[in-house]
PDB file of all heavy atoms in Angstrom:
ATOM      1  N   PHE A 249     176.596  90.026  71.806  1.00  0.00           N
ATOM      2  CA  PHE A 249     176.288  89.606  73.174  1.00  0.00           C
ATOM      3  C   PHE A 249     174.800  89.824  73.485  1.00  0.00           C
ATOM      4  O   PHE A 249     174.113  88.931  73.983  1.00  0.00           O
ATOM      5  CB  PHE A 249     177.166  90.393  74.149  1.00  0.00           C
ATOM      6  CG  PHE A 249     176.815  90.191  75.595  1.00  0.00           C
ATOM      7  CD1 PHE A 249     176.998  88.953  76.199  1.00  0.00           C
ATOM      8  CD2 PHE A 249     176.295  91.236  76.358  1.00  0.00           C
ATOM      9  CE1 PHE A 249     176.670  88.759  77.536  1.00  0.00           C
ATOM     10  CE2 PHE A 249     175.961  91.046  77.688  1.00  0.00           C
ATOM     11  CZ  PHE A 249     176.146  89.809  78.276  1.00  0.00           C
ATOM     12  N   TYR A 257     172.182  84.953  80.409  1.00  0.00           N
ATOM     13  CA  TYR A 257     173.297  85.381  81.273  1.00  0.00           C
ATOM     14  C   TYR A 257     173.234  84.766  82.675  1.00  0.00           C
ATOM     15  O   TYR A 257     174.270  84.591  83.323  1.00  0.00           O
ATOM     16  CB  TYR A 257     173.335  86.912  81.355  1.00  0.00           C
ATOM     17  CG  TYR A 257     174.622  87.441  81.940  1.00  0.00           C
ATOM     18  CD1 TYR A 257     175.801  87.459  81.199  1.00  0.00           C
ATOM     19  CD2 TYR A 257     174.677  87.894  83.261  1.00  0.00           C
ATOM     20  CE1 TYR A 257     176.991  87.919  81.741  1.00  0.00           C
ATOM     21  CE2 TYR A 257     175.865  88.365  83.814  1.00  0.00           C
ATOM     22  CZ  TYR A 257     177.023  88.368  83.044  1.00  0.00           C
ATOM     23  OH  TYR A 257     178.207  88.824  83.591  1.00  0.00           O
ATOM     24  N   THR A 268     179.485  84.994  78.570  1.00  0.00           N
ATOM     25  CA  THR A 268     179.776  86.352  79.055  1.00  0.00           C
ATOM     26  C   THR A 268     180.124  87.267  77.862  1.00  0.00           C
ATOM     27  O   THR A 268     180.299  86.795  76.743  1.00  0.00           O
ATOM     28  CB  THR A 268     180.933  86.363  80.075  1.00  0.00           C
ATOM     29  OG1 THR A 268     182.125  85.994  79.408  1.00  0.00           O
ATOM     30  CG2 THR A 268     180.653  85.422  81.234  1.00  0.00           C
ATOM     31  N   SER A 269     180.249  88.561  78.162  1.00  0.00           N
ATOM     32  CA  SER A 269     180.351  89.527  77.049  1.00  0.00           C
ATOM     33  C   SER A 269     181.747  89.649  76.445  1.00  0.00           C
ATOM     34  O   SER A 269     181.886  90.060  75.298  1.00  0.00           O
ATOM     35  CB  SER A 269     179.913  90.908  77.543  1.00  0.00           C
ATOM     36  OG  SER A 269     180.902  91.438  78.416  1.00  0.00           O
ATOM     37  N   LYS A 270     182.783  89.401  77.223  1.00  0.00           N
ATOM     38  CA  LYS A 270     184.185  89.622  76.802  1.00  0.00           C
ATOM     39  C   LYS A 270     184.443  91.101  76.473  1.00  0.00           C
ATOM     40  O   LYS A 270     185.246  91.439  75.607  1.00  0.00           O
ATOM     41  CB  LYS A 270     184.553  88.728  75.633  1.00  0.00           C
ATOM     42  CG  LYS A 270     184.324  87.256  75.957  1.00  0.00           C
ATOM     43  CD  LYS A 270     185.141  86.337  75.115  1.00  0.00           C
ATOM     44  CE  LYS A 270     185.032  84.926  75.627  1.00  0.00           C
ATOM     45  NZ  LYS A 270     184.422  84.002  74.735  1.00  0.00           N
ATOM     46  N   LEU A 271     183.734  91.951  77.181  1.00  0.00           N
ATOM     47  CA  LEU A 271     183.932  93.392  76.961  1.00  0.00           C
ATOM     48  C   LEU A 271     184.980  93.994  77.898  1.00  0.00           C
ATOM     49  O   LEU A 271     185.344  95.161  77.765  1.00  0.00           O
ATOM     50  CB  LEU A 271     182.601  94.134  77.133  1.00  0.00           C
ATOM     51  CG  LEU A 271     181.635  93.983  75.948  1.00  0.00           C
ATOM     52  CD1 LEU A 271     180.226  94.422  76.325  1.00  0.00           C
ATOM     53  CD2 LEU A 271     182.114  94.771  74.726  1.00  0.00           C
ATOM     54  N   SER A 272     185.468  93.189  78.862  1.00  0.00           N
ATOM     55  CA  SER A 272     186.343  93.757  79.905  1.00  0.00           C
ATOM     56  C   SER A 272     187.579  94.449  79.332  1.00  0.00           C
ATOM     57  O   SER A 272     188.007  95.482  79.824  1.00  0.00           O
ATOM     58  CB  SER A 272     186.771  92.676  80.890  1.00  0.00           C
ATOM     59  OG  SER A 272     187.318  91.579  80.196  1.00  0.00           O
ATOM     60  N   LEU A 275     186.627  97.795  77.934  1.00  0.00           N
ATOM     61  CA  LEU A 275     186.379  98.723  79.044  1.00  0.00           C
ATOM     62  C   LEU A 275     187.703  99.158  79.662  1.00  0.00           C
ATOM     63  O   LEU A 275     187.898 100.319  80.000  1.00  0.00           O
ATOM     64  CB  LEU A 275     185.520  98.037  80.120  1.00  0.00           C
ATOM     65  CG  LEU A 275     184.039  97.905  79.774  1.00  0.00           C
ATOM     66  CD1 LEU A 275     183.369  96.893  80.700  1.00  0.00           C
ATOM     67  CD2 LEU A 275     183.341  99.262  79.883  1.00  0.00           C
ATOM     68  N   PHE A 306     173.353  90.997  84.533  1.00  0.00           N
ATOM     69  CA  PHE A 306     174.512  91.577  83.845  1.00  0.00           C
ATOM     70  C   PHE A 306     174.822  92.968  84.414  1.00  0.00           C
ATOM     71  O   PHE A 306     175.989  93.314  84.655  1.00  0.00           O
ATOM     72  CB  PHE A 306     174.233  91.660  82.336  1.00  0.00           C
ATOM     73  CG  PHE A 306     175.358  92.298  81.571  1.00  0.00           C
ATOM     74  CD1 PHE A 306     176.534  91.610  81.344  1.00  0.00           C
ATOM     75  CD2 PHE A 306     175.237  93.598  81.094  1.00  0.00           C
ATOM     76  CE1 PHE A 306     177.589  92.211  80.650  1.00  0.00           C
ATOM     77  CE2 PHE A 306     176.288  94.201  80.401  1.00  0.00           C
ATOM     78  CZ  PHE A 306     177.469  93.504  80.174  1.00  0.00           C
ATOM     79  N   GLN A 309     176.980  93.088  87.333  1.00  0.00           N
ATOM     80  CA  GLN A 309     178.429  92.973  87.096  1.00  0.00           C
ATOM     81  C   GLN A 309     179.012  94.282  86.567  1.00  0.00           C
ATOM     82  O   GLN A 309     179.965  94.812  87.113  1.00  0.00           O
ATOM     83  CB  GLN A 309     178.726  91.849  86.081  1.00  0.00           C
ATOM     84  CG  GLN A 309     178.245  90.476  86.486  1.00  0.00           C
ATOM     85  CD  GLN A 309     178.807  90.022  87.827  1.00  0.00           C
ATOM     86  OE1 GLN A 309     179.921  90.341  88.199  1.00  0.00           O
ATOM     87  NE2 GLN A 309     178.005  89.287  88.573  1.00  0.00           N
ATOM     88  N   VAL A 310     178.417  94.780  85.498  1.00  0.00           N
ATOM     89  CA  VAL A 310     179.042  95.907  84.801  1.00  0.00           C
ATOM     90  C   VAL A 310     178.877  97.232  85.563  1.00  0.00           C
ATOM     91  O   VAL A 310     179.673  98.150  85.382  1.00  0.00           O
ATOM     92  CB  VAL A 310     178.503  95.997  83.348  1.00  0.00           C
ATOM     93  CG1 VAL A 310     177.150  96.669  83.289  1.00  0.00           C
ATOM     94  CG2 VAL A 310     179.495  96.669  82.424  1.00  0.00           C
ATOM     95  N   ARG A 313     179.467  95.523  90.559  1.00  0.00           N
ATOM     96  CA  ARG A 313     180.761  94.882  90.866  1.00  0.00           C
ATOM     97  C   ARG A 313     181.921  95.705  90.314  1.00  0.00           C
ATOM     98  O   ARG A 313     182.958  95.843  90.948  1.00  0.00           O
ATOM     99  CB  ARG A 313     180.827  93.471  90.269  1.00  0.00           C
ATOM    100  CG  ARG A 313     179.802  92.544  90.829  1.00  0.00           C
ATOM    101  CD  ARG A 313     180.278  91.953  92.124  1.00  0.00           C
ATOM    102  NE  ARG A 313     179.165  91.327  92.820  1.00  0.00           N
ATOM    103  CZ  ARG A 313     179.271  90.680  93.961  1.00  0.00           C
ATOM    104  NH1 ARG A 313     180.434  90.581  94.565  1.00  0.00           N
ATOM    105  NH2 ARG A 313     178.212  90.152  94.528  1.00  0.00           N
ATOM    106  N   ARG A 314     181.729  96.210  89.114  1.00  0.00           N
ATOM    107  CA  ARG A 314     182.817  96.989  88.510  1.00  0.00           C
ATOM    108  C   ARG A 314     183.072  98.259  89.329  1.00  0.00           C
ATOM    109  O   ARG A 314     184.204  98.590  89.636  1.00  0.00           O
ATOM    110  CB  ARG A 314     182.452  97.323  87.059  1.00  0.00           C
ATOM    111  CG  ARG A 314     183.547  98.029  86.305  1.00  0.00           C
ATOM    112  CD  ARG A 314     183.280  98.064  84.809  1.00  0.00           C
ATOM    113  NE  ARG A 314     184.367  98.757  84.138  1.00  0.00           N
ATOM    114  CZ  ARG A 314     184.406 100.066  83.944  1.00  0.00           C
ATOM    115  NH1 ARG A 314     183.395 100.827  84.344  1.00  0.00           N
ATOM    116  NH2 ARG A 314     185.435 100.633  83.358  1.00  0.00           N
ATOM    117  N   TYR A 381     192.687  86.380  77.803  1.00  0.00           N
ATOM    118  CA  TYR A 381     191.402  86.468  78.515  1.00  0.00           C
ATOM    119  C   TYR A 381     191.217  85.184  79.322  1.00  0.00           C
ATOM    120  O   TYR A 381     191.824  84.161  79.011  1.00  0.00           O
ATOM    121  CB  TYR A 381     190.267  86.613  77.487  1.00  0.00           C
ATOM    122  CG  TYR A 381     188.873  86.582  78.079  1.00  0.00           C
ATOM    123  CD1 TYR A 381     188.297  87.733  78.604  1.00  0.00           C
ATOM    124  CD2 TYR A 381     188.146  85.393  78.111  1.00  0.00           C
ATOM    125  CE1 TYR A 381     187.022  87.696  79.158  1.00  0.00           C
ATOM    126  CE2 TYR A 381     186.874  85.355  78.667  1.00  0.00           C
ATOM    127  CZ  TYR A 381     186.315  86.512  79.194  1.00  0.00           C
ATOM    128  OH  TYR A 381     185.061  86.475  79.742  1.00  0.00           O
ATOM    129  N   MET A 382     190.361  85.229  80.351  1.00  0.00           N
ATOM    130  CA  MET A 382     189.953  84.004  81.064  1.00  0.00           C
ATOM    131  C   MET A 382     188.546  84.243  81.603  1.00  0.00           C
ATOM    132  O   MET A 382     188.225  85.363  82.028  1.00  0.00           O
ATOM    133  CB  MET A 382     190.913  83.708  82.223  1.00  0.00           C
ATOM    134  CG  MET A 382     190.794  82.314  82.833  1.00  0.00           C
ATOM    135  SD  MET A 382     191.700  82.195  84.415  1.00  0.00           S
ATOM    136  CE  MET A 382     193.393  82.261  83.899  1.00  0.00           C
ATOM    137  N   HIS A 383     187.741  83.207  81.581  1.00  0.00           N
ATOM    138  CA  HIS A 383     186.384  83.289  82.109  1.00  0.00           C
ATOM    139  C   HIS A 383     186.425  83.616  83.614  1.00  0.00           C
ATOM    140  O   HIS A 383     187.311  83.139  84.331  1.00  0.00           O
ATOM    141  CB  HIS A 383     185.703  81.938  81.874  1.00  0.00           C
ATOM    142  CG  HIS A 383     184.267  81.918  82.294  1.00  0.00           C
ATOM    143  ND1 HIS A 383     183.889  81.733  83.606  1.00  0.00           N
ATOM    144  CD2 HIS A 383     183.133  82.082  81.585  1.00  0.00           C
ATOM    145  CE1 HIS A 383     182.569  81.772  83.675  1.00  0.00           C
ATOM    146  NE2 HIS A 383     182.083  81.988  82.470  1.00  0.00           N
ATOM    147  N   ASN A 384     185.453  84.402  84.083  1.00  0.00           N
ATOM    148  CA  ASN A 384     185.455  84.857  85.476  1.00  0.00           C
ATOM    149  C   ASN A 384     185.555  83.707  86.479  1.00  0.00           C
ATOM    150  O   ASN A 384     186.352  83.756  87.422  1.00  0.00           O
ATOM    151  CB  ASN A 384     184.193  85.690  85.752  1.00  0.00           C
ATOM    152  CG  ASN A 384     184.118  86.154  87.197  1.00  0.00           C
ATOM    153  OD1 ASN A 384     185.067  86.735  87.713  1.00  0.00           O
ATOM    154  ND2 ASN A 384     183.005  85.889  87.862  1.00  0.00           N
ATOM    155  N   ARG A 387     188.925  82.407  86.585  1.00  0.00           N
ATOM    156  CA  ARG A 387     189.889  83.315  87.237  1.00  0.00           C
ATOM    157  C   ARG A 387     189.903  83.046  88.739  1.00  0.00           C
ATOM    158  O   ARG A 387     190.947  83.045  89.378  1.00  0.00           O
ATOM    159  CB  ARG A 387     189.520  84.782  86.976  1.00  0.00           C
ATOM    160  CG  ARG A 387     189.703  85.190  85.533  1.00  0.00           C
ATOM    161  CD  ARG A 387     189.585  86.709  85.365  1.00  0.00           C
ATOM    162  NE  ARG A 387     189.230  87.025  83.992  1.00  0.00           N
ATOM    163  CZ  ARG A 387     189.662  88.075  83.307  1.00  0.00           C
ATOM    164  NH1 ARG A 387     190.468  88.942  83.851  1.00  0.00           N
ATOM    165  NH2 ARG A 387     189.285  88.290  82.070  1.00  0.00           N
ATOM    166  N   MET A 388     188.707  82.826  89.296  1.00  0.00           N
ATOM    167  CA  MET A 388     188.648  82.564  90.743  1.00  0.00           C
ATOM    168  C   MET A 388     189.347  81.242  91.052  1.00  0.00           C
ATOM    169  O   MET A 388     190.159  81.150  91.963  1.00  0.00           O
ATOM    170  CB  MET A 388     187.197  82.449  91.212  1.00  0.00           C
ATOM    171  CG  MET A 388     186.327  83.646  90.921  1.00  0.00           C
ATOM    172  SD  MET A 388     184.691  83.312  91.636  1.00  0.00           S
ATOM    173  CE  MET A 388     183.642  84.146  90.515  1.00  0.00           C
ATOM    174  N   TRP A 390     191.537  79.570  89.271  1.00  0.00           N
ATOM    175  CA  TRP A 390     192.967  79.693  88.949  1.00  0.00           C
ATOM    176  C   TRP A 390     193.734  80.350  90.114  1.00  0.00           C
ATOM    177  O   TRP A 390     194.761  79.829  90.569  1.00  0.00           O
ATOM    178  CB  TRP A 390     193.038  80.532  87.665  1.00  0.00           C
ATOM    179  CG  TRP A 390     194.341  81.115  87.283  1.00  0.00           C
ATOM    180  CD1 TRP A 390     195.373  80.483  86.661  1.00  0.00           C
ATOM    181  CD2 TRP A 390     194.764  82.480  87.466  1.00  0.00           C
ATOM    182  NE1 TRP A 390     196.398  81.365  86.440  1.00  0.00           N
ATOM    183  CE2 TRP A 390     196.049  82.595  86.919  1.00  0.00           C
ATOM    184  CE3 TRP A 390     194.162  83.615  88.021  1.00  0.00           C
ATOM    185  CZ2 TRP A 390     196.760  83.792  86.926  1.00  0.00           C
ATOM    186  CZ3 TRP A 390     194.864  84.803  88.022  1.00  0.00           C
ATOM    187  CH2 TRP A 390     196.145  84.890  87.488  1.00  0.00           C
ATOM    188  N   ALA A 391     193.208  81.463  90.619  1.00  0.00           N
ATOM    189  CA  ALA A 391     193.909  82.170  91.697  1.00  0.00           C
ATOM    190  C   ALA A 391     193.891  81.349  92.990  1.00  0.00           C
ATOM    191  O   ALA A 391     194.877  81.301  93.727  1.00  0.00           O
ATOM    192  CB  ALA A 391     193.274  83.537  91.925  1.00  0.00           C
ATOM    193  N   ASN A 412     198.447  87.971  86.115  1.00  0.00           N
ATOM    194  CA  ASN A 412     197.233  88.701  85.745  1.00  0.00           C
ATOM    195  C   ASN A 412     197.572  89.929  84.882  1.00  0.00           C
ATOM    196  O   ASN A 412     197.000  90.148  83.817  1.00  0.00           O
ATOM    197  CB  ASN A 412     196.521  89.143  87.036  1.00  0.00           C
ATOM    198  CG  ASN A 412     195.124  89.681  86.797  1.00  0.00           C
ATOM    199  OD1 ASN A 412     194.146  88.972  86.983  1.00  0.00           O
ATOM    200  ND2 ASN A 412     195.003  90.924  86.386  1.00  0.00           N
ATOM    201  N   PHE A 416     196.784  89.153  80.846  1.00  0.00           N
ATOM    202  CA  PHE A 416     195.412  89.557  80.489  1.00  0.00           C
ATOM    203  C   PHE A 416     195.425  90.893  79.756  1.00  0.00           C
ATOM    204  O   PHE A 416     196.071  91.847  80.203  1.00  0.00           O
ATOM    205  CB  PHE A 416     194.538  89.739  81.736  1.00  0.00           C
ATOM    206  CG  PHE A 416     194.096  88.461  82.388  1.00  0.00           C
ATOM    207  CD1 PHE A 416     193.985  88.385  83.771  1.00  0.00           C
ATOM    208  CD2 PHE A 416     193.770  87.344  81.630  1.00  0.00           C
ATOM    209  CE1 PHE A 416     193.566  87.207  84.383  1.00  0.00           C
ATOM    210  CE2 PHE A 416     193.361  86.167  82.235  1.00  0.00           C
ATOM    211  CZ  PHE A 416     193.253  86.096  83.613  1.00  0.00           C
ATOM    212  N   ASP A 418     192.907  92.706  79.764  1.00  0.00           N
ATOM    213  CA  ASP A 418     192.202  93.591  80.700  1.00  0.00           C
ATOM    214  C   ASP A 418     192.931  93.742  82.035  1.00  0.00           C
ATOM    215  O   ASP A 418     192.383  94.294  82.995  1.00  0.00           O
ATOM    216  CB  ASP A 418     190.756  93.119  80.911  1.00  0.00           C
ATOM    217  CG  ASP A 418     190.678  91.725  81.548  1.00  0.00           C
ATOM    218  OD1 ASP A 418     191.630  91.301  82.234  1.00  0.00           O
ATOM    219  OD2 ASP A 418     189.644  91.050  81.363  1.00  0.00           O
ATOM    220  N   GLY A 419     194.175  93.246  82.119  1.00  0.00           N
ATOM    221  CA  GLY A 419     194.937  93.364  83.375  1.00  0.00           C
ATOM    222  C   GLY A 419     195.284  94.813  83.687  1.00  0.00           C
ATOM    223  O   GLY A 419     194.995  95.717  82.918  1.00  0.00           O
ATOM    224  N   ARG A 420     195.925  95.037  84.844  1.00  0.00           N
ATOM    225  CA  ARG A 420     196.332  96.392  85.276  1.00  0.00           C
ATOM    226  C   ARG A 420     195.117  97.305  85.460  1.00  0.00           C
ATOM    227  O   ARG A 420     195.163  98.493  85.167  1.00  0.00           O
ATOM    228  CB  ARG A 420     197.307  97.048  84.255  1.00  0.00           C
ATOM    229  CG  ARG A 420     198.452  96.167  83.843  1.00  0.00           C
ATOM    230  CD  ARG A 420     198.993  96.490  82.470  1.00  0.00           C
ATOM    231  NE  ARG A 420     197.972  96.532  81.450  1.00  0.00           N
ATOM    232  CZ  ARG A 420     197.475  95.458  80.833  1.00  0.00           C
ATOM    233  NH1 ARG A 420     197.913  94.248  81.114  1.00  0.00           N
ATOM    234  NH2 ARG A 420     196.517  95.582  79.944  1.00  0.00           N
ATOM    235  N   ASP A 421     194.033  96.719  85.912  1.00  0.00           N
ATOM    236  CA  ASP A 421     192.758  97.428  86.002  1.00  0.00           C
ATOM    237  C   ASP A 421     192.323  97.461  87.472  1.00  0.00           C
ATOM    238  O   ASP A 421     192.804  96.663  88.284  1.00  0.00           O
ATOM    239  CB  ASP A 421     191.741  96.611  85.190  1.00  0.00           C
ATOM    240  CG  ASP A 421     190.467  97.354  84.886  1.00  0.00           C
ATOM    241  OD1 ASP A 421     189.544  97.332  85.717  1.00  0.00           O
ATOM    242  OD2 ASP A 421     190.390  97.944  83.797  1.00  0.00           O
ATOM    243  N   ASN A 423     189.610  96.366  88.399  1.00  0.00           N
ATOM    244  CA  ASN A 423     189.028  95.032  88.543  1.00  0.00           C
ATOM    245  C   ASN A 423     190.077  93.959  88.816  1.00  0.00           C
ATOM    246  O   ASN A 423     189.774  92.942  89.438  1.00  0.00           O
ATOM    247  CB  ASN A 423     188.292  94.635  87.257  1.00  0.00           C
ATOM    248  CG  ASN A 423     186.842  95.037  87.279  1.00  0.00           C
ATOM    249  OD1 ASN A 423     186.337  95.453  88.307  1.00  0.00           O
ATOM    250  ND2 ASN A 423     186.177  94.914  86.157  1.00  0.00           N
ATOM    251  N   SER A 424     191.296  94.170  88.321  1.00  0.00           N
ATOM    252  CA  SER A 424     192.354  93.189  88.570  1.00  0.00           C
ATOM    253  C   SER A 424     192.616  93.126  90.081  1.00  0.00           C
ATOM    254  O   SER A 424     192.626  92.049  90.681  1.00  0.00           O
ATOM    255  CB  SER A 424     193.667  93.582  87.891  1.00  0.00           C
ATOM    256  OG  SER A 424     193.452  94.093  86.611  1.00  0.00           O
ATOM    257  N   GLY A 427     189.528  91.928  92.077  1.00  0.00           N
ATOM    258  CA  GLY A 427     189.271  90.505  91.820  1.00  0.00           C
ATOM    259  C   GLY A 427     190.267  89.627  92.562  1.00  0.00           C
ATOM    260  O   GLY A 427     189.907  88.620  93.176  1.00  0.00           O
ATOM    261  N   ILE A 428     191.533  90.040  92.545  1.00  0.00           N
ATOM    262  CA  ILE A 428     192.560  89.236  93.231  1.00  0.00           C
ATOM    263  C   ILE A 428     192.376  89.341  94.746  1.00  0.00           C
ATOM    264  O   ILE A 428     192.444  88.341  95.462  1.00  0.00           O
ATOM    265  CB  ILE A 428     193.975  89.692  92.787  1.00  0.00           C
ATOM    266  CG1 ILE A 428     194.158  89.393  91.285  1.00  0.00           C
ATOM    267  CG2 ILE A 428     195.054  88.992  93.610  1.00  0.00           C
ATOM    268  CD1 ILE A 428     195.378  90.030  90.638  1.00  0.00           C
ATOM    269  N   TRP A 430     189.710  89.733  96.293  1.00  0.00           N
ATOM    270  CA  TRP A 430     188.542  88.909  96.641  1.00  0.00           C
ATOM    271  C   TRP A 430     188.982  87.471  96.974  1.00  0.00           C
ATOM    272  O   TRP A 430     188.438  86.845  97.895  1.00  0.00           O
ATOM    273  CB  TRP A 430     187.539  88.909  95.479  1.00  0.00           C
ATOM    274  CG  TRP A 430     186.348  88.036  95.704  1.00  0.00           C
ATOM    275  CD1 TRP A 430     185.190  88.387  96.331  1.00  0.00           C
ATOM    276  CD2 TRP A 430     186.208  86.659  95.315  1.00  0.00           C
ATOM    277  NE1 TRP A 430     184.333  87.310  96.367  1.00  0.00           N
ATOM    278  CE2 TRP A 430     184.937  86.233  95.754  1.00  0.00           C
ATOM    279  CE3 TRP A 430     187.032  85.753  94.663  1.00  0.00           C
ATOM    280  CZ2 TRP A 430     184.462  84.940  95.547  1.00  0.00           C
ATOM    281  CZ3 TRP A 430     186.580  84.460  94.452  1.00  0.00           C
ATOM    282  CH2 TRP A 430     185.296  84.060  94.894  1.00  0.00           C
ATOM    283  N   CYS A 431     189.965  86.974  96.245  1.00  0.00           N
ATOM    284  CA  CYS A 431     190.454  85.610  96.499  1.00  0.00           C
ATOM    285  C   CYS A 431     191.097  85.505  97.876  1.00  0.00           C
ATOM    286  O   CYS A 431     191.271  84.414  98.419  1.00  0.00           O
ATOM    287  CB  CYS A 431     191.462  85.188  95.429  1.00  0.00           C
ATOM    288  SG  CYS A 431     190.698  85.134  93.804  1.00  0.00           S
TER     289      CYS A 431
HETATM  290  C1  LIG B   6     191.419  86.535  90.348  1.00  0.00           C
HETATM  291  C2  LIG B   6     190.636  87.495  89.491  1.00  0.00           C
HETATM  292  C3  LIG B   6     191.299  88.363  88.641  1.00  0.00           C
HETATM  293  C4  LIG B   6     190.575  89.256  87.843  1.00  0.00           C
HETATM  294  N1  LIG B   6     191.272  90.100  87.023  1.00  0.00           N
HETATM  295  C5  LIG B   6     190.602  90.998  86.247  1.00  0.00           C
HETATM  296  C6  LIG B   6     191.312  91.884  85.407  1.00  0.00           C
HETATM  297  O1  LIG B   6     192.541  91.879  85.344  1.00  0.00           O
HETATM  298  N2  LIG B   6     190.583  92.764  84.666  1.00  0.00           N
HETATM  299  C7  LIG B   6     189.220  92.781  84.687  1.00  0.00           C
HETATM  300  O2  LIG B   6     188.610  93.593  83.993  1.00  0.00           O
HETATM  301  N3  LIG B   6     188.533  91.958  85.500  1.00  0.00           N
HETATM  302  C8  LIG B   6     189.176  91.068  86.276  1.00  0.00           C
HETATM  303  N4  LIG B   6     188.473  90.231  87.092  1.00  0.00           N
HETATM  304  C9  LIG B   6     187.004  90.362  87.179  1.00  0.00           C
HETATM  305  C10 LIG B   6     186.209  89.493  86.161  1.00  0.00           C
HETATM  306  O3  LIG B   6     186.693  88.196  86.185  1.00  0.00           O
HETATM  307  C11 LIG B   6     186.318  90.028  84.740  1.00  0.00           C
HETATM  308  O4  LIG B   6     185.966  91.393  84.713  1.00  0.00           O
HETATM  309  C12 LIG B   6     185.366  89.281  83.792  1.00  0.00           C
HETATM  310  O5  LIG B   6     185.660  87.925  83.805  1.00  0.00           O
HETATM  311  C13 LIG B   6     185.537  89.840  82.398  1.00  0.00           C
HETATM  312  O6  LIG B   6     184.849  89.061  81.465  1.00  0.00           O
HETATM  313  P1  LIG B   6     183.592  89.584  80.673  1.00  0.00           P
HETATM  314  O7  LIG B   6     183.817  90.948  80.149  1.00  0.00           O
HETATM  315  O8  LIG B   6     183.252  88.519  79.678  1.00  0.00           O
HETATM  316  O9  LIG B   6     182.525  89.639  81.837  1.00  0.00           O
HETATM  317  P2  LIG B   6     180.938  89.809  81.820  1.00  0.00           P
HETATM  318  O10 LIG B   6     180.379  88.701  82.642  1.00  0.00           O
HETATM  319  O11 LIG B   6     180.425  89.965  80.470  1.00  0.00           O
HETATM  320  O12 LIG B   6     180.708  91.135  82.652  1.00  0.00           O
HETATM  321  C14 LIG B   6     180.588  92.416  82.028  1.00  0.00           C
HETATM  322  C15 LIG B   6     181.521  93.380  82.705  1.00  0.00           C
HETATM  323  O13 LIG B   6     181.198  93.489  84.091  1.00  0.00           O
HETATM  324  C16 LIG B   6     182.393  93.643  84.862  1.00  0.00           C
HETATM  325  N5  LIG B   6     182.587  92.487  85.736  1.00  0.00           N
HETATM  326  C17 LIG B   6     182.246  91.198  85.497  1.00  0.00           C
HETATM  327  N6  LIG B   6     182.575  90.415  86.552  1.00  0.00           N
HETATM  328  C18 LIG B   6     183.151  91.237  87.456  1.00  0.00           C
HETATM  329  C19 LIG B   6     183.720  91.063  88.739  1.00  0.00           C
HETATM  330  N7  LIG B   6     183.750  89.875  89.342  1.00  0.00           N
HETATM  331  N8  LIG B   6     184.230  92.129  89.380  1.00  0.00           N
HETATM  332  C20 LIG B   6     184.205  93.348  88.826  1.00  0.00           C
HETATM  333  N9  LIG B   6     183.671  93.588  87.605  1.00  0.00           N
HETATM  334  C21 LIG B   6     183.168  92.558  86.943  1.00  0.00           C
HETATM  335  C22 LIG B   6     183.549  93.705  83.857  1.00  0.00           C
HETATM  336  O14 LIG B   6     183.809  95.038  83.551  1.00  0.00           O
HETATM  337  C23 LIG B   6     182.977  92.950  82.668  1.00  0.00           C
HETATM  338  O15 LIG B   6     183.586  93.271  81.451  1.00  0.00           O
HETATM  339  C24 LIG B   6     189.171  89.317  87.919  1.00  0.00           C
HETATM  340  C25 LIG B   6     188.499  88.445  88.787  1.00  0.00           C
HETATM  341  C26 LIG B   6     189.215  87.552  89.564  1.00  0.00           C
HETATM  342  C27 LIG B   6     188.475  86.631  90.493  1.00  0.00           C
END
Side-chain angles (χ1 to χ4, degrees):
F249 172 66
Y257 194 75
T268 67
S269 72
K270 304 203 171 116
L271 284 165
S272 52
L275 284 164
F306 178 74
Q309 301 303 327
V310 80
R313 297 277 166 177
R314 185 167 180 272
Y381 174 84
M382 193 193 290
H383 184 279
N384 178 52
R387 292 191 203 216
M388 303 183 212
W390 165 80
N412 191 99
F416 285 144
D418 63 24
R420 311 153 308 278
D421 194 273
N423 269 351
S424 319
I428 295 168
W430 177 87
C431 297

